Amino acid sequence: MRLLTSISVTALLVASSGTSFAADDMASNMTLVSWGGAYQASQTAAYAEPYKKMHPDVTITWDESSNEAVAKLRAMNEANNVTWDLVDVVAADALRLCDEGLAMEIDPDEMLEAAPDGTSAEDDFGDLLVSDCFIPQIVYSTTFGYRTDMVPEGVSAPDDICDVFDVETYPGKRSLEKRPINNMEWALLCDGVAKDDVYDVLATPEGQQQALDKLATIKDDVIWWSAGADTPQLLADGEVFMGSTYNGRLFSAIVEQDQPIAMLWDAQVFDLDGWIIPAGLPEDRLARVKDFLRFATDTQRLADQAKYISYGPARASSAPLVGKHAELGIDMAPHMPTDPKNSKNTFLYNYEFWADYRDDIDAKFQAWLAQ
Amino acid sequence: MNELIVNIKRPNLLTFTMPIVAVLGAMFGFVTGNIFGDPFIGAVGGAVVGAVLALALAKIVSIKRWKKIWGVAVVFAVVAALFGGVGGFLGGFVVGLSMGWFATWVGTGKYRAGVPIYYTPGQVLWHCTFLFICAFVFFFLIAPLIPVVWLSFNAENFFTFTPEMLSFKSAGYSLKHYRDFLGTDEWMVPLKNSLIIAPIATLISVSLGTLAAIGLSQSHVPGRQVMMAILISPMIVPLIISATGMFFFYAPLGNWLQLNLGLNQAFVGYVKVILAHAVLGIPFVIITVTATLVGFDSSLTRAAANMGADPVTTFFRVQMPLILPGVISGGLFAFITSFDEVVVVLFVGSARQQTLPWQMYTGLREQISPTILAAATILVSVSILLLATVELLRRRSERLRGMSPG
Amino acid sequence: MSDTTQELVLAADGRPLKQSLRRALLRQKLRALMLIAPLLIFVVVTFIVPIFSMLFRSVENEIVPDTLPGVTQALADWDSSTGELPNDDVFRHLYIDMFKASEAKTHTRLGSRLNYEMTGLSSLFRTTGRGLDDIGEEWQDPLEDIDPNFKDGAFWYEMMSGTDGEDLLEERRDLFATMVGESMDGDVGFIPSMQIAEMLPWTTRAYTDFAIWTAIDDEDVVAEEDPWESVYGALGMDLTNPDSVAAIQSYSGFGADALKAAVANVDQLPQTTFRAEFGKENEDWLSPEVWSTIQLYSSRMTPGYFLNAVDMQLTPDGIAEKPENQQIYKQLFMRTLVMALIITASCVVLGYPVAWLLANLPMRTASLLMILVLLPFWTSLLVRTSAWKVLLQQQGVINEILVWLGFVNDADRLILMNNATGTIIAMTHILLPFMILPLYSVMKTIQPSYLRAAKSLGATNWTAFWRVYFPQSVPGIGAGSILVFILAIGYYITPEIVGGTSGVFISNRIAYHISSSLNWGLAAALGSILLVVVLGLYWCYDRIVGIDNVKLGG
């Protein structure tokens, strides 16, 4: 009797600790959705591979569909056929998915590991938990890179965001993302709107028109990109003089691929990227995902990821652990968007604003683009 | 027409060959001169070189024609290399090759080979121009494949010709993209998936399509037009519409199969993609097979039936062999449709049924890497080998059957 | 002789020949149909039906009446032309409907839907969705001050429960189920009291919604949960109704004291309307245009998407053109057609000589050259498109060579890509085999002796070609053209990669609406129009040439 009691108590303890479900209850296959490229490679190296080593019977399938995550999740949800288990999305998409009930709400303290010093997960992530459904992994920034060998003679290298709009001094094509986010803010900043007023102005139809008018001044010189790999390729080809993209992509082109490109950190826009769990997963798959997620977002794993790509870890406790590049052995800190030298002038992305106004402004922007 | 060519007469060297080759020389000279900023001097020089070349080649009779051409090419290449380095060498080689070929082609009168002897010079000129137009179109068809093959050996991870590549330094080249393609699951799994999905989808569309085409080709079929339109529709509906439509059909179907028949998820995933691709391949099978059946003599089946063959025997022993070419070419189209299809599979499939085009598509979007080009090069090589084998087999069987090829 | 014609001709089995023949014909027809049937059923079930159900989205508009059932009903009587706002009843329904929708998180989808018709509505719905609790608390706080029992979930449950309310429960359950698009079946553990429902209609609706959601979706016990803020708001609505007040005065069931206290202290409750409350959340609610948009799109079917697809819009005064700067689709349709025509024409021009050459060369050479035609065809579309990107861009192979040769100045390189030129070049290349193959197979059947005969009768080469050969090759041109044209219209990946903004097709817009803007209704409308155009072409083609004459190689 005593034995039985002690067994059941142990079982209860084990079950309540949440980390170790019986293996039978967890699905043995997991589909992770991410962005492909160097970013996905860093995720594979930092957490997917170590996790597979711990659980050799688990197979992980990657789907590089984060770009269309919202559309696909909506379709899957409508057809009641969610094949994804964990989806990597930017914060704005996470907010949107959460608003529409397509992502599961999570309790960080219950589902995520605490920091090594005992700080709760909720405090460790801090302000970065911008949505109830979102577990941030990294802080990245969208910024400009330019070809160093294409800077016109007698002119100093561009160091101001408004140089993007100055085609007289810096002739050549620019590549901008084929969506309003970030472009509209930059346009307003360079049209004399104060940094703190940007979103107030952008909330009005007149402000939206003002931003589009500013963009129209360089419309003929813009190549619009829609995939993360485009700008580095265009820069490598010398097809554009400067272009916006994620800082990690530029890091990879500059440091790993040795291209004549430099960063223009001015007015870089900070953003978050992280996981969401699709709503309505069956029990066994959910159990597996939770198990993986707890592992993949702990302090060490997030710090490990920064060895492969120059994105800042989302946990405060991971920051001191960021070290050197895994292959090149260079210090990663100076390449991080958060480095003081790079973040002299940063722009804070307003998730709430874009979650609310995305449909409105996107419709206008696309109509403007098509004309 | 070949029999019409009796003893080609060599054209007059002074009044015909030399001026014409000189004109080509002038053209090349113009271009070369343009590089150095003085096209007209280049043109004059080129004309002289052309005329001299024509004369020299005509006077040397002891050497075989192809040896002359290669000789000219090498000489040109070496001379040009002195001025323009590697680029010059390549350019000189191409120019030399074309000049040498052109000079002997004109000089020996070979240019009249394809035309009847009674053709006027104007007609011959038209004929030759026509051939050049065709050559241009073939070049247009093939040219884009050249950078594909070339860039697949790039040592860098971009679709860009690096200076090292252009100066043919070994540092600019590597096989790493081939290693990436052959050595990683990332590419081998999609390849395997494509090789599972495409043949089965083809089999379904060919078997059902052929039967239906036979049915359609019989006289007195009611509502033939409508049925034909329905069967062709997968080709007509824009793919993106088909893809979303099929997604909403196959998702519940897949759920149903999993819940009620207890099939596993991966298997159901394959079934969905295969069925979707089979539908897309059907119009091609229908079109080719009905076209072959238009020329099919139906008295043959009647004769077979008359001699006691049952319908199945008739089909396999009489009808099938005769319409086989149509069936095969329809099958090839259906296969390619599935093997190269990306829009529908992105919607209907899940990540575990990632096909090769899917992988290429995400590769192009998310990490532009020449691995895609390595994959394409390997596939192109395989298809060249396949096409060549088929052609050789065809010739062999013709020889065995005592038919002279062509 | 005359005898035999009058007598019935008998077949071998003794039946009349006519009957026997008819029977044979019928059997033949049946056999043909049996051969076609499997494929026909396969295609209809797995393709035609899904496509039509997809295209049906272009007129379907259930989301508005499903998400806002009360509002759409109450709005039906409102006359938008007066320029006045709808009465407070509409706003009350809006509050009840919106609260329910925001719990189920469907109000954001409705906002996205209505945003297609009037930009700004998406943010209106999203921001308001977050403020609904605050509106309810305006009533909740004073009510709880008046009688602390109102704080208690069990008290509410006891008060609202009763008998005879099954119909009401089922009605609210159905409304909920149609809104979320899922079955809400299951035991709610709550039956509204009919007596209360007649006395407090708004409160009962709100509480029943709360009970259904709590029991079915959250899987909690209704009695243990505190009601939604909307229930307090609804009670506030009821307390302004003299009938309800009168009924409360004579009511003696459970909770009568609390309700009577509320009536007695009604002056402590906010003296405001729901219209004013919504206006406080977002002043756009006080704009009649917003309401006329909701009213216009409150039917279950809508022509809105189709009108959008041809740059028109539905206004209270009827159908009108969109503002100039929002018109894009007519232009895009025209561009698609024109560019597809140019591509088809260039394919004919380039394909015809090659097909002629292939058809007239000896077999051995022709099949070698055929490999050159098939080779690009076998290469992945994506690879060929990216190859064209490498060739055409400003630092690309073609420009590099031209600059090296000195024909083009380094500063003004040709712009061959990210415009219509790029799309036309790349698409022509990609579709050329689809032109050459049918042309070749038709030309293969043209006897060369016809040409020789014409010439021996004195025709010049040109006349012989134009009057004798060309007419016979027209079916090939037709087949190739229809194939190329249809495929060109439907492609979107190649234009997306090399077309920039001025070289894209209508299919790119469809793809954009499906995967980015999520406006599937508009995508379906655009797709339907495109499909009708293609079917029209197909029909013409079938009339003129006959679809049997399409041949693909072989």
Side-chain angles (χ1 to χ4, degrees), chain C residues 12-177:
Chain C
D13 58 355
R15 290 165 196 271
L17 183 60
K18 227 179 183 176
Q19 199 187 341
S20 179
L21 276 176
R22 204 181 303 135
R23 200 172 268 240
L25 192 64
L26 192 69
R27 212 164 26 223
Q28 205 183 345
K29 275 187 192 172
L30 272 180
R31 200 168 54 211
L33 284 181
M34 297 249 295
L35 286 170
I36 306 170
L39 183 66
L40 199 65
I41 294 169
F42 179 55
V43 172
V44 168
V45 172
T46 67
F47 191 79
I48 305 286
V49 174
I51 296 301
F52 273 97
S53 66
M54 174 69 203
L55 295 181
F56 180 67
R57 284 167 190 266
S58 58
V59 290
E60 186 241 37
N61 189 41
E62 311 238 293
I63 182 166
V64 184
D66 281 352
T67 315
L68 303 176
V71 175
T72 47
Q73 246 172 31
L75 257 187
D77 307 329
W78 178 60
D79 182 5
S80 64
S81 59
T82 58
E84 278 174 28
L85 282 173
N87 59 29
D88 202 49
D89 209 32
V90 171
F91 284 92
R92 291 175 171 193
H93 276 293
L94 178 70
Y95 184 64
I96 302 290
D97 288 347
M98 271 278 270
F99 202 97
K100 190 173 93 178
S102 80
E103 285 297 320
K105 297 185 170 172
T106 53
H107 69 298
T108 52
R109 297 188 203 185
L110 178 65
S112 300
R113 157 69 189 101
L114 288 172
N115 196 62
Y116 305 141
E117 313 302 342
M118 180 178 176
T119 50
L121 288 189
S122 174
S123 50
L124 178 62
F125 274 83
R126 281 168 194 269
T127 48
T128 310
R130 284 196 294 272
L132 292 173
D133 288 356
D134 299 343
I135 299 183
E137 279 161 11
E138 298 265 333
W139 278 270
Q140 183 179 3
D141 297 340
L143 276 173
E144 287 177 355
D145 291 343
I146 293 168
D147 192 325
N149 271 327
F150 283 125
K151 280 185 196 167
D152 183 16
F155 167 79
W156 275 100
Y157 179 77
E158 190 66 38
M159 181 170 78
M160 303 306 292
S161 291
T163 48
D164 301 333
E166 286 89 352
D167 289 347
L168 183 74
L169 176 71
E170 291 313 312
E171 187 197 319
R172 298 309 289 184
R173 193 206 293 268
D174 285 348
L175 285 176
F176 231 125

Side-chain angles (χ1 to χ4, degrees), chain A residues 5 8 16 49 55 68 82 116 120 133 136 139 157-158 167 293 349 351:
Chain A
T5 332
S8 60
S16 64
E49 286 302 327
H55 305 269
E68 284 105 34
V82 179
S120 75
C133 308
V139 180
V167 272
L293 197 61
Y349 177 77
Y351 310 99

Side-chain angles (χ1 to χ4, degrees), chain C residues 376-447:
Chain C
F377 192 60
W378 286 98
T379 316
S380 161
L381 173 85
L382 293 165
V383 170
R384 276 184 288 163
T385 308
S386 29
W388 275 111
K389 202 172 161 180
V390 173
L391 289 172
L392 292 176
Q393 59 186 3
Q394 281 200 288
Q395 308 291 325
V397 176
I398 293 177
N399 266 310
E400 283 296 332
I401 291 180
L402 288 177
V403 168
W404 184 63
L405 294 178
F407 286 111
V408 168
N409 209 322
D410 196 16
D412 33 45
R413 291 169 176 246
L414 306 180
I415 301 170
L416 300 170
M417 212 181 91
N418 291 322
N419 56 20
T421 324
T423 308
I424 290 172
I425 296 178
M427 297 274 283
T428 304
H429 175 254
I430 284 162
L431 294 171
L432 193 51
F434 285 98
M435 178 62 81
I436 294 179
L437 294 173
L439 262 177
Y440 168 75
S441 60
V442 167
M443 286 179 173
K444 202 69 191 150
T445 61
I446 303 175
Q447 299 287 336

Side-chain angles (χ1 to χ4, degrees), chain A residues 67 72 80 227 237 249 259, chain B residues 156 160 255 346 365-366:
Chain A
N67 232 331
K72 282 204 164 177
N80 211 357
D237 280 345
R249 299 267 184 183
Q259 296 292 315
Chain B
E156 282 191 26
T160 312
N255 289 347
L346 276 173
R365 286 184 62 83
E366 307 308 344

Side-chain angles (χ1 to χ4, degrees), chain A residues 1 11 32 37 46 58 61 80 99 104 106 130 133 152 161 203 254 256 268 298 305 308 326 330 338:
Chain A
M1 191 63 203
L32 306 184
V58 176
T61 314
N80 211 357
D99 274 355
M104 197 182 102
I106 49 130
V130 292
C133 308
I161 183 67
I254 297 169
E256 292 168 7
Q268 55 163 323
D298 71 11
Q305 193 181 1
Y308 303 94
I330 55 164
T338 42

Side-chain angles (χ1 to χ4, degrees), chain A residues 119-363:
Chain A
T119 318
S120 75
E122 186 147 12
D123 294 339
D124 203 16
F125 281 107
D127 294 342
L128 304 189
L129 290 167
V130 292
S131 151
D132 297 337
C133 308
F134 181 62
I135 306 122
Q137 291 165 77
I138 52 138
V139 180
Y140 71 97
S141 83
T142 310
T143 185
F144 279 86
Y146 62 92
R147 287 279 295 206
T148 47
D149 55 350
M150 282 167 70
V151 179
E153 268 174 58
V155 179
S156 62
D159 58 0
D160 188 318
I161 183 67
C162 297
D163 292 343
V164 173
F165 295 89
D166 183 359
V167 272
E168 302 240 309
T169 322
Y170 300 99
K173 300 250 179 199
R174 286 95 167 96
S175 64
L176 295 178
E177 189 169 5
K178 205 181 200 167
R179 58 173 203 174
I181 296 177
N182 298 346
N183 294 333
M184 302 288 266
E185 287 102 318
W186 284 324
L188 285 182
L189 277 179
C190 293
D191 206 31
V193 176
K195 205 150 97 178
D196 295 336
D197 301 339
V198 164
Y199 285 109
D200 293 337
V201 173
L202 208 50
T204 62
E206 297 77 33
Q208 293 157 15
Q209 194 54 45
Q210 185 189 353
L212 289 178
D213 288 344
K214 180 70 181 174
L215 283 171
T217 59
I218 55 166
K219 196 177 178 185
D220 292 339
D221 293 291
V222 174
I223 296 177
W224 300 96
W225 62 268
S226 51
D230 287 343
T231 292
Q233 172 69 42
L234 289 166
L235 283 169
D237 280 345
E239 193 68 11
V240 295
F241 168 58
M242 58 205 314
S244 69
T245 188
Y246 317 123
N247 71 299
R249 299 267 184 183
L250 287 171
F251 167 80
S252 156
I254 297 169
V255 178
E256 292 168 7
Q257 309 289 337
D258 218 10
Q259 296 292 315
I261 302 172
M263 309 275 277
L264 173 82
W265 288 105
D266 190 47
Q268 55 163 323
V269 181
F270 278 144
D271 200 347
L272 299 171
D273 190 86
W275 300 114
I276 59 111
I277 304 175
L281 286 188
E283 298 266 318
D284 58 334
R285 277 164 63 192
L286 187 60
R288 170 63 66 198
V289 166
K290 282 182 171 173
D291 189 54
F292 173 77
L293 197 61
R294 181 178 282 275
F295 173 76
T297 54
D298 71 11
T299 302
Q300 186 59 46
R301 252 36 70 183
L302 289 185
D304 284 352
Q305 193 181 1
K307 276 194 234 164
Y308 303 94
I309 197 149
S310 60
Y311 294 137
R315 272 179 186 262
S317 61
S318 300
L321 303 177
V322 172
K324 292 182 185 312
H325 189 278
E327 282 153 34
L328 303 174
I330 55 164
D331 245 344
M332 290 302 278
H335 296 281
M336 291 291 171
T338 42
D339 189 74
K341 238 176 65 221
N342 301 334
S343 53
K344 276 181 220 142
N345 179 23
T346 60
F347 190 82
L348 207 62
Y349 177 77
N350 188 334
Y351 310 99
E352 297 260 312
F353 174 86
W354 278 113
D356 288 348
Y357 285 88
R358 189 160 172 181
D359 285 338
D360 313 3
I361 299 182
D362 211 39

